[in-house]
Amino acid sequence: MKNNLFTMNQYGKIIIDIKTYMDEKCINRNMLARSINARFEVIDKWYNGRVEKIDTDVLARICFVLECTPGDIIRYVDPD
């Protein structure tokens, strides 16, 4: 493969959605942060889909509390 520079339009993006599972469990961001022993700011980034680097330990704790799998809350969207 050549040293090409790709744009998001060419390779797609990752969507993180924990809002749905939080709503189902009636858990707000403060409750989730306390439940997994994380700062509110960390959960706020996950909640708003602004995670830059995925910490697998945080992801595992979120999945444990929300009773879901990583595949339930993280998905890949093909470029349009």
Side-chain angles (χ1 to χ4, degrees), residues 31-63:
M31 292 168 65
L32 183 58
R34 275 181 273 158
S35 295
I36 70 165
N37 195 28
R39 292 186 350 260
F40 176 84
E41 293 81 14
V42 171
I43 298 307
D44 190 53
K45 284 185 179 185
W46 280 86
Y47 185 82
N48 291 306
R50 293 181 287 129
V51 177
E52 294 171 5
K53 294 181 182 178
I54 295 177
D55 182 333
T56 57
D57 184 55
V58 171
L59 177 58
R61 290 185 273 160
I62 288 171
C63 289

Side-chain angles (χ1 to χ4, degrees), residues 8-46:
M8 190 182 329
N9 293 339
Q10 294 170 310
Y11 63 80
K13 61 183 174 180
I14 300 292
I15 303 293
I16 297 174
D17 178 26
I18 66 171
K19 292 178 188 179
T20 304
Y21 287 89
M22 289 175 66
D23 290 344
E24 286 177 7
K25 302 283 183 187
C26 297
I27 296 175
N28 63 36
R29 289 174 282 177
N30 282 319
M31 292 168 65
L32 183 58
R34 275 181 273 158
S35 295
I36 70 165
N37 195 28
R39 292 186 350 260
F40 176 84
E41 293 81 14
V42 171
I43 298 307
D44 190 53
K45 284 185 179 185
W46 280 86

